[in-house]
Amino acid sequence: MRIVVGISGASGAILGIRALQMLRAAGCETHLVISRYAARTIVEETEYSLQEVRQLASTSYAAYDLGAAIASGSFQTSGMIIAPCSIKSAAEVAYGTTSTLLTRAADVTLKEHRRLVLLVRESPLHIGHLRMLMQLSEAGGIVVPPVPAFYAKPKAIDDLVNQMVGRALELLGVNDPSVRHWPEGGSGDGNGNGDLES
């Protein structure tokens, strides 16, 4: 599989880094674009250098290289993930006002009817954000706020990151063995006592 990975300047740079690591482990070809602000966030929030993050990808592009392969719909991919996705990047994609390679590649993904998964990182959301995210969803984007799944019983921040990113990648058809799912067979304690008060 060939997946485009975008890392925007929202807090949560580790989400994009972990996506690259999981995609590499799954044998996927990755095409990376890091926004100008993400370059700063990576250094501020993680122990990775910008060069180390770029080396996780099969190919990496400059943020404003609108002549790059991923800016064209003729470049075949299986989809794109933006992790994390800032409100600014989401808005550019939602309304088609793409000014960088990251948002242009996302726009291309939508127009070619490929899967676009966006880990939108903002809270709280005002009415303008919510309307924009509705527009993005109506255009075909899959909005996946990175929220923790406590049923996975995380013991460390890494567990939370792996679960959130792994579930997002499943939407692109990529599975990671570290992702935990809700137990099959319904809820309950295993003794037929599944009636829970809401």
Side-chain angles (χ1 to χ4, degrees), residues 142-179:
I142 304 172
V143 180
V144 185
V147 295
F150 291 106
Y151 62 79
K153 299 181 180 176
K155 294 181 173 55
I157 291 176
D158 252 11
D159 296 335
L160 293 172
V161 172
N162 290 341
Q163 182 74 14
M164 291 185 287
V165 174
R167 290 287 287 124
L169 291 178
E170 285 180 342
L171 294 167
L172 291 169
V174 179
N175 298 303
D176 187 277
S178 70
V179 176

Side-chain angles (χ1 to χ4, degrees), residues 95-107:
Y95 298 112
T97 55
T98 57
S99 63
T100 68
L101 179 58
L102 187 150
T103 53
R104 169 60 186 168
D107 189 60

Side-chain angles (χ1 to χ4, degrees), residues 2-100:
R2 177 188 281 171
I3 304 289
V4 179
V5 178
I7 302 179
S8 83
S11 181
I14 190 61
L15 299 169
I17 294 169
R18 190 57 42 80
L20 288 167
Q21 292 168 334
M22 286 182 166
L23 288 167
R24 174 182 268 192
C28 296
E29 177 184 330
T30 52
H31 291 257
L32 172 67
V33 57
I34 298 171
S35 78
R36 183 176 55 148
Y37 296 111
R40 169 75 180 271
T41 308
I42 287 168
V43 174
E44 293 289 341
E45 292 187 348
T46 78
E47 301 300 317
Y48 294 87
S49 69
L50 194 55
Q51 184 61 25
E52 287 172 328
V53 175
R54 291 190 186 284
Q55 289 173 348
L56 291 171
S58 307
T59 305
S60 179
Y61 306 92
Y64 292 94
D65 182 8
L66 294 178
I70 59 174
S72 172
S74 65
F75 185 72
Q76 297 293 310
T77 73
S78 300
M80 179 176 182
I81 183 169
I82 304 178
C85 182
S86 67
I87 284 291
K88 179 180 185 295
S89 294
E92 284 200 13
V93 179
Y95 298 112
T97 55
T98 57
S99 63
T100 68

